[in-house]
Amino acid sequence: MTKTNLKNISVNSSLDFSKRGISLVGQEMFKVLDKAQALEREGKTVYHLELGSPKHYPPGRIINKTITALLDTKVGYASSSGLFEFRKGLADYFSKLNKNLTYENIVISTANLLITQLVDIICDTGDKVVLFLPAFPSYFAACNYTLVNVKKVLLDINKGFALTKRDIDIAFEANPKLIFVNSANNPTGAVYDEDVLIYLIDLAKKRDCWIVSDETYSLLSYNKKFYSLLNLDYKKLIIISSFSKIFSVPGFRIGYAIANKEIIEKIGLSTSTLISCLPVFTQEGALQGVNIIDEFSSFIKKKYKKLCYECIDILNKSKKLIFTIPDSAFYIFINIEKTGLDDISFCDNLLEEFGVAVTPGKSFGCPNFVRVAFCGDRKMVKDGLRRIVKFVY
Amino acid sequence: MTKTNLKNISVNSSLDFSKRGISLVGQEMFKVLDKAQALEREGKTVYHLELGSPKHYPPGRIINKTITALLDTKVGYASSSGLFEFRKGLADYFSKLNKNLTYENIVISTANLLITQLVDIICDTGDKVVLFLPAFPSYFAACNYTLVNVKKVLLDINKGFALTKRDIDIAFEANPKLIFVNSANNPTGAVYDEDVLIYLIDLAKKRDCWIVSDETYSLLSYNKKFYSLLNLDYKKLIIISSFSKIFSVPGFRIGYAIANKEIIEKIGLSTSTLISCLPVFTQEGALQGVNIIDEFSSFIKKKYKKLCYECIDILNKSKKLIFTIPDSAFYIFINIEKTGLDDISFCDNLLEEFGVAVTPGKSFGCPNFVRVAFCGDRKMVKDGLRRIVKFVY
């Protein structure tokens, strides 16, 4: 048997991938990261504003406990639904919002994985899923991959991309099986109004529609009070969230879902099927964060608020960059129409000419925008933004 | 809005899960682990023989480098396809089997996740997938979940569960889109013959059939020389493997796939969609293993060989337990027909009465069997096996 070069299979080869295989798009910001890292391997400096990868020092106790667990060789398998103590700890923490929560209402999983897990557990091929635009690229990636039918509802930039009752009415006109709602929002930073969210759940109950509420950035809301859907009770409501952003540990890949027991059991079976379990040592480390969720997130969100306004001051030096001030998180979603460039050219040219990596709006469903993440090293972020202003001059 | 108890949604509730949601079964051994851990929380001692979770001390350099990376706060995102240096390191290592390999032929992912990733990238709903029985439960879980049509080909216990050309002929009669092959095998420990594997790939080429070769236990073959399908070249062949078993770090969740560039790119997009990426620190730690793959696995397999025969000596004290001697790995797949118990009762009673956790054969497609894993603490393993002998007496 002779050996041929494995590399030389052409892209238009006869490989008969499945419909899912063909529909894979991945997350655009990871493609930007790959490009940026290739430039870095050539010795170039890159300003990383593409990924929401916080560079603040994480709580020392999370790092230290992870290390202790490693030294203790806790490198075996764990329960697929997550460590019992972790589930219990989160149930206790969130019982302030819903007093009936127990560990059986919580499952530990990677927050990004939960998106596809839930679409797949809820929807069959062709089912309708509503996304409010702009929307986090993983929702598109998950929906593409799972072959569901996405109904896009574009929010109004003139209202700061706020969700309105009118948007919700439009969403239900499509008769969706599932609606994703993401307050505080990535990429816009918008925090949605309580009465609008209550209206959403009321209608969902009437229409028997599933709701996934992604509350990853809830605790970083510095310009508006955040309202959690966990305050409401609905059997087809799933809250998902993450430790990545509030504790600056995205590499831990630790998030969680809160829902009724039956859904939580399904997610546990899904995790068992897909990845068996999460590491014990990262869970034991992250578990140390449970007792300091409020303390640490309130400390960190003040830092983001300050940096947010410093970033806005820099971006305001250009008249070609249009954006709204975020209520939460560490992203600014910038309309670039006045630069005369489309988002892909903008991002490619910016990276090649000025070494600044940002994410094209297309991947959020809004091609005339780019997203900058200001959670990296403070100096790098500000220098990067100054370069953007120079680039569009 | 009133709050009802989230827990009280009954299993026969009106929740309209998708076909995939309904088809989720998970991995049986993780359900056994959950039962065992619940007993432990009640203060009971459990002998863990259910999971292939090695308790040997991992290479110190893997643990130490992981810790160094954590101390260096390498807790951000990484490339979805895995660290460049890791991919390159594995390509260099495996170039002894196929000299044309480059980092573009390698993707880092959790080995268990690769199973579902590949079924989903290759197969549409209803496509035929061949599993040779007994088969690793994750294959069933992945196939159930992805709604493919499983064609089971039962291997012959009288031939030590070896794969034969006749079995392959039967497999192709089903006209499958994909065949899983798992040498060295979990749970039987069988290592397949070179001529049979060459026959498989020859037929796969003729029939344009995809092959996934799970070689996780290849380097632990102590009773027979292992033949890797990486020696052969076929565009629809994917090799998957793991660092979990050879380096005793299942909790790191680090494995890899080797295939042509186009397939590797698809897997990278799938990882980006599902979990974004693996942690940087676990990858930097595991990367330290690349240079000692042969050295460490040859050391560890000698230990398993010795322990294997010690285990067999214990099991041979009962005439009711029938099994073949494994060529590789750390499992013994035991026929329990003579005990008069079915596998579920056997496992349940054994756990409750004697505190020994083992995995029912049903989850490998063979209901008259149980699997014991002898990779745990040496004393616990041997005491556990003595209890099994007592249990069946």
Side-chain angles (χ1 to χ4, degrees):
Chain A
M1 200 156 293
T2 59
K3 292 181 186 180
T4 57
N5 192 332
L6 285 173
K7 281 206 303 173
N8 289 343
I9 309 291
S10 105
V11 174
N12 295 314
S13 78
S14 58
L15 290 177
D16 49 340
F17 292 114
S18 66
K19 292 190 192 80
R20 286 195 174 217
I22 291 164
S23 302
L24 278 168
V25 293
Q27 295 182 58
E28 189 64 29
M29 50 276 199
F30 282 88
K31 293 178 201 162
V32 180
L33 176 69
D34 282 346
K35 272 191 227 171
Q37 287 184 337
L39 288 174
E40 285 174 325
R41 282 199 295 275
E42 290 169 16
K44 290 184 182 142
T45 302
V46 175
Y47 299 78
H48 288 280
L49 276 64
E50 77 279 30
L51 269 168
S53 190
K55 292 291 181 197
H56 283 287
Y57 199 85
R61 69 187 77 184
I62 291 183
I63 301 286
N64 294 347
K65 181 66 185 183
T66 310
I67 291 172
T68 309
L70 280 163
L71 287 170
D72 218 14
T73 50
K74 292 189 177 170
V75 294
Y77 294 105
S79 168
S80 298
S81 301
L83 294 187
F84 172 75
E85 300 78 9
F86 202 172
R87 300 169 71 189
K88 198 172 170 316
L90 285 171
D92 289 346
Y93 173 77
F94 285 110
S95 62
K96 66 182 178 185
L97 294 180
N98 188 320
K99 67 179 166 46
N100 293 315
L101 287 179
T102 77
Y103 81 94
E104 290 180 307
N105 302 116
I106 311 268
V107 66
I108 312 297
S109 181
T110 295
N112 198 78
L113 180 58
L114 281 165
I115 297 167
T116 304
Q117 286 184 301
L118 286 167
V119 176
D120 250 344
I121 288 170
I122 296 166
C123 298
D124 287 304
T125 304
D127 278 347
K128 284 218 184 95
V129 176
V130 165
L131 300 181
F132 297 109
L133 307 195
F136 178 44
S138 278
Y139 305 153
F140 290 105
C143 289
N144 261 2
Y145 176 59
T146 55
L147 308 172
V148 297
N149 189 350
V150 174
K151 161 80 180 171
K152 301 171 188 172
V153 179
L154 182 61
L155 303 181
D156 188 351
I157 187 172
N158 297 315
K159 291 179 181 140
F161 292 116
L163 183 70
T164 67
K165 291 182 185 175
R166 174 84 191 109
D167 298 317
I168 292 169
D169 288 339
I170 294 170
F172 279 104
E173 277 167 20
N175 206 15
K177 182 151 189 201
L178 166 65
I179 296 176
F180 273 93
V181 60
N182 175 212
S183 169
N185 187 269
N186 172 10
T188 69
V191 168
Y192 301 157
D193 290 339
E194 177 173 339
D195 65 322
V196 173
L197 291 169
I198 291 173
Y199 182 75
L200 171 71
I201 298 300
D202 277 346
L203 265 185
K205 285 180 181 176
K206 277 180 200 141
R207 305 288 292 268
D208 199 31
C209 175
W210 292 79
I211 303 287
V212 172
S213 178
D214 180 349
E215 305 191 353
T216 296
Y217 298 96
S218 61
L219 288 156
L220 301 178
S221 304
Y222 40 73
N223 276 339
K224 184 170 172 182
K225 192 170 183 301
F226 172 76
Y227 179 76
S228 172
L229 283 186
L230 198 52
N231 282 292
L232 307 177
D233 208 73
Y234 173 42
K235 67 177 180 182
K236 288 187 169 183
L237 166 65
I238 301 109
I239 316 284
I240 63 176
S241 192
S242 171
F243 270 27
S244 299
K245 313 297 177 175
I246 57 167
F247 290 130
S248 306
V249 288
F252 272 55
R253 313 306 305 122
I254 293 209
Y256 52 90
I258 310 175
N260 88 56
K261 188 184 156 183
E262 195 183 345
I263 300 168
I264 293 301
E265 280 173 2
K266 285 285 180 202
I267 298 172
L269 286 176
S270 166
T271 301
S272 172
T273 300
L274 295 173
I275 55 169
S276 304
C277 65
L278 293 180
V280 176
F281 51 94
T282 52
Q283 289 190 74
E284 287 206 352
L287 171 55
Q288 303 306 306
V290 173
N291 290 329
I292 52 166
I293 290 177
D294 290 332
E295 178 187 326
F296 197 83
S297 60
S298 114
F299 153 77
I300 209 86
K301 82 177 174 189
K302 277 180 202 137
K303 291 197 154 202
Y304 285 131
K305 179 173 187 170
K306 187 166 178 290
L307 186 53
C308 177
Y309 284 98
E310 290 171 9
C311 293
I312 284 171
D313 283 347
I314 296 170
L315 291 173
N316 274 336
K317 293 202 162 63
S318 165
K319 294 212 159 46
K320 294 181 183 164
L321 303 172
I322 314 300
F323 52 88
T324 55
I325 297 171
D327 298 324
S328 178
F330 38 62
Y331 303 110
I332 303 176
F333 200 53
I334 307 172
N335 185 306
I336 54 159
E337 273 176 283
K338 290 193 179 174
T339 67
L341 290 169
D342 66 81
D343 58 334
I344 302 293
S345 312
F346 186 101
C347 294
D348 284 348
N349 297 352
L350 180 63
L351 180 58
E352 275 157 40
E353 294 169 25
F354 286 81
V356 183
V358 303
T359 304
K362 180 178 72 87
S363 49
F364 302 86
C366 298
N368 294 321
F369 289 76
V370 299
R371 186 193 74 173
V372 298
F374 60 81
C375 53
D377 170 78
R378 186 188 193 83
K379 189 176 174 327
M380 192 202 65
V381 163
K382 293 171 77 172
D383 285 350
L385 290 173
R386 286 187 194 104
R387 281 171 172 252
I388 294 177
V389 170
K390 219 165 164 183
F391 169 70
V392 300
Y393 188 72
Chain B
M1 199 155 293
T2 59
K3 292 181 186 181
T4 56
N5 191 332
L6 285 173
K7 281 204 304 174
N8 289 344
I9 309 289
S10 101
V11 174
N12 296 314
S13 78
S14 59
L15 290 178
D16 49 340
F17 292 114
S18 65
K19 291 190 192 83
R20 285 195 175 218
I22 293 165
S23 304
L24 278 168
V25 292
Q27 296 181 59
E28 189 64 29
M29 50 278 198
F30 282 89
K31 294 178 200 163
V32 179
L33 176 70
D34 282 346
K35 274 191 225 171
Q37 288 185 335
L39 289 175
E40 286 173 324
R41 283 200 296 275
E42 292 169 15
K44 291 185 182 142
T45 301
V46 176
Y47 298 77
H48 288 280
L49 276 63
E50 77 278 31
L51 270 167
S53 190
K55 291 291 180 198
H56 284 287
Y57 200 85
R61 70 186 75 184
I62 290 183
I63 300 286
N64 295 346
K65 180 66 184 183
T66 309
I67 291 172
T68 309
L70 280 163
L71 288 171
D72 217 15
T73 52
K74 292 190 177 170
V75 293
Y77 293 104
S79 169
S80 297
S81 301
L83 295 187
F84 172 75
E85 300 77 10
F86 203 172
R87 300 169 71 190
K88 199 171 168 316
L90 285 172
D92 289 347
Y93 173 76
F94 284 109
S95 63
K96 66 182 176 183
L97 293 180
N98 188 320
K99 68 180 168 41
N100 294 314
L101 287 179
T102 77
Y103 80 96
E104 291 180 305
N105 301 115
I106 312 267
V107 66
I108 312 297
S109 181
T110 296
N112 199 77
L113 181 58
L114 281 164
I115 297 167
T116 304
Q117 287 184 301
L118 286 167
V119 176
D120 249 346
I121 288 170
I122 295 167
C123 297
D124 288 305
T125 304
D127 278 348
K128 284 216 185 96
V129 176
V130 164
L131 300 181
F132 297 108
L133 306 195
F136 179 43
S138 278
Y139 305 152
F140 290 104
C143 289
N144 261 0
Y145 177 59
T146 54
L147 308 172
V148 296
N149 189 350
V150 175
K151 161 80 181 172
K152 301 171 188 171
V153 179
L154 181 60
L155 302 181
D156 188 352
I157 188 173
N158 298 316
K159 289 179 182 140
F161 292 116
L163 183 70
T164 65
K165 291 183 184 174
R166 174 84 190 111
D167 298 317
I168 293 170
D169 289 338
I170 293 169
F172 279 104
E173 277 167 21
N175 206 15
K177 182 151 188 201
L178 166 65
I179 296 175
F180 274 93
V181 61
N182 176 212
S183 169
N185 187 268
N186 171 8
T188 68
V191 168
Y192 300 157
D193 290 339
E194 177 174 338
D195 64 323
V196 173
L197 292 169
I198 291 173
Y199 182 75
L200 171 71
I201 298 301
D202 277 346
L203 265 185
K205 285 181 181 174
K206 277 181 199 140
R207 305 287 292 267
D208 199 31
C209 174
W210 292 79
I211 303 287
V212 172
S213 178
D214 180 350
E215 305 192 354
T216 295
Y217 297 95
S218 61
L219 287 156
L220 301 178
S221 304
Y222 40 74
N223 276 340
K224 184 171 171 182
K225 192 169 185 300
F226 172 76
Y227 180 76
S228 172
L229 282 186
L230 198 53
N231 282 293
L232 306 177
D233 208 72
Y234 173 42
K235 67 177 181 182
K236 289 188 168 183
L237 166 66
I238 302 109
I239 314 286
I240 64 176
S241 192
S242 171
F243 270 28
S244 298
K245 313 297 177 174
I246 57 167
F247 290 130
S248 308
V249 289
F252 273 55
R253 315 302 309 124
I254 293 209
Y256 52 89
I258 310 175
N260 88 55
K261 187 183 158 184
E262 195 183 346
I263 300 168
I264 293 302
E265 280 172 4
K266 285 285 178 200
I267 298 172
L269 286 175
S270 166
T271 301
S272 172
T273 299
L274 295 173
I275 56 169
S276 303
C277 63
L278 293 180
V280 176
F281 50 94
T282 52
Q283 289 189 74
E284 286 205 352
L287 172 54
Q288 301 307 307
V290 173
N291 289 329
I292 51 165
I293 290 176
D294 291 330
E295 179 187 327
F296 197 82
S297 59
S298 114
F299 153 77
I300 209 86
K301 82 177 173 188
K302 277 180 203 137
K303 290 196 154 203
Y304 285 131
K305 180 173 187 171
K306 186 165 178 290
L307 186 52
C308 176
Y309 284 98
E310 290 171 9
C311 293
I312 285 170
D313 283 346
I314 296 170
L315 291 173
N316 273 337
K317 293 200 164 59
S318 165
K319 294 213 159 44
K320 293 181 182 164
L321 303 171
I322 315 300
F323 53 87
T324 55
I325 297 170
D327 298 324
S328 179
F330 37 63
Y331 304 110
I332 303 176
F333 200 53
I334 307 173
N335 184 307
I336 53 156
E337 273 176 282
K338 290 193 180 174
T339 67
L341 290 168
D342 67 83
D343 58 334
I344 302 293
S345 313
F346 186 101
C347 294
D348 285 348
N349 297 352
L350 180 63
L351 180 59
E352 276 157 41
E353 296 169 25
F354 286 81
V356 183
V358 303
T359 304
K362 180 178 73 87
S363 49
F364 302 87
C366 298
N368 296 320
F369 288 77
V370 300
R371 187 194 74 174
V372 298
F374 60 81
C375 54
D377 170 79
R378 184 188 194 83
K379 188 176 174 328
M380 192 202 65
V381 164
K382 293 171 77 172
D383 286 350
L385 291 173
R386 285 187 194 105
R387 281 170 172 252
I388 295 177
V389 170
K390 219 164 160 183
F391 169 71
V392 300
Y393 188 72

